[in-house]
Amino acid sequence: MSTPAGPGVAARMGIESGFLVLQRGFADDCDSSISKEIAQVAGSELLDEDSQEVVDAVITWWREDDGDLVDELVDCLTYLTEGGPIWLLTPKVGREGHVEPSDIKDAARSE
């Protein structure tokens, strides 16, 4: 999770000016340039897990050993406006904490 973000990451994520964005699971192994770009595009600092705000998007940094991914995704939903995205950011293949795509698919809610 430490490679630099390319230009336009926030835009590709659908982040717009005025959005409230919650960030969960951020640690030293995360790419702070992604967080900074999202905050810059949104026009405000990212909220943390202590926030009680309803947000437009949630960014979750997740590693294989972080716990139950289903629980994390359900927790993220409690913050979101209807239709808001959850962006799950994980380490690349071969890096410590990598999460298999099949594990993400199994944890994601289908509608």
Side-chain angles (χ1 to χ4, degrees), residues 62-68 96-99:
W62 193 259
R63 299 142 202 93
E64 181 180 38
D65 296 330
D66 280 350
D68 186 330
E96 186 177 337
H98 170 70
V99 180

Side-chain angles (χ1 to χ4, degrees), residues 6-53:
V9 168
R12 289 193 309 268
M13 296 172 89
I15 305 299
E16 299 176 10
S17 178
F19 269 28
L20 285 178
V21 181
L22 177 81
Q23 177 172 247
R24 295 172 56 94
F26 188 84
D28 292 339
D29 63 343
C30 299
D31 186 345
S32 62
S33 68
I34 293 173
S35 300
K36 288 176 185 172
E37 182 181 331
I38 292 169
Q40 183 178 23
V41 169
S44 62
E45 292 298 315
L46 302 182
L47 302 174
D48 65 21
E49 297 164 21
D50 295 329
S51 175
Q52 299 297 313
E53 297 285 335

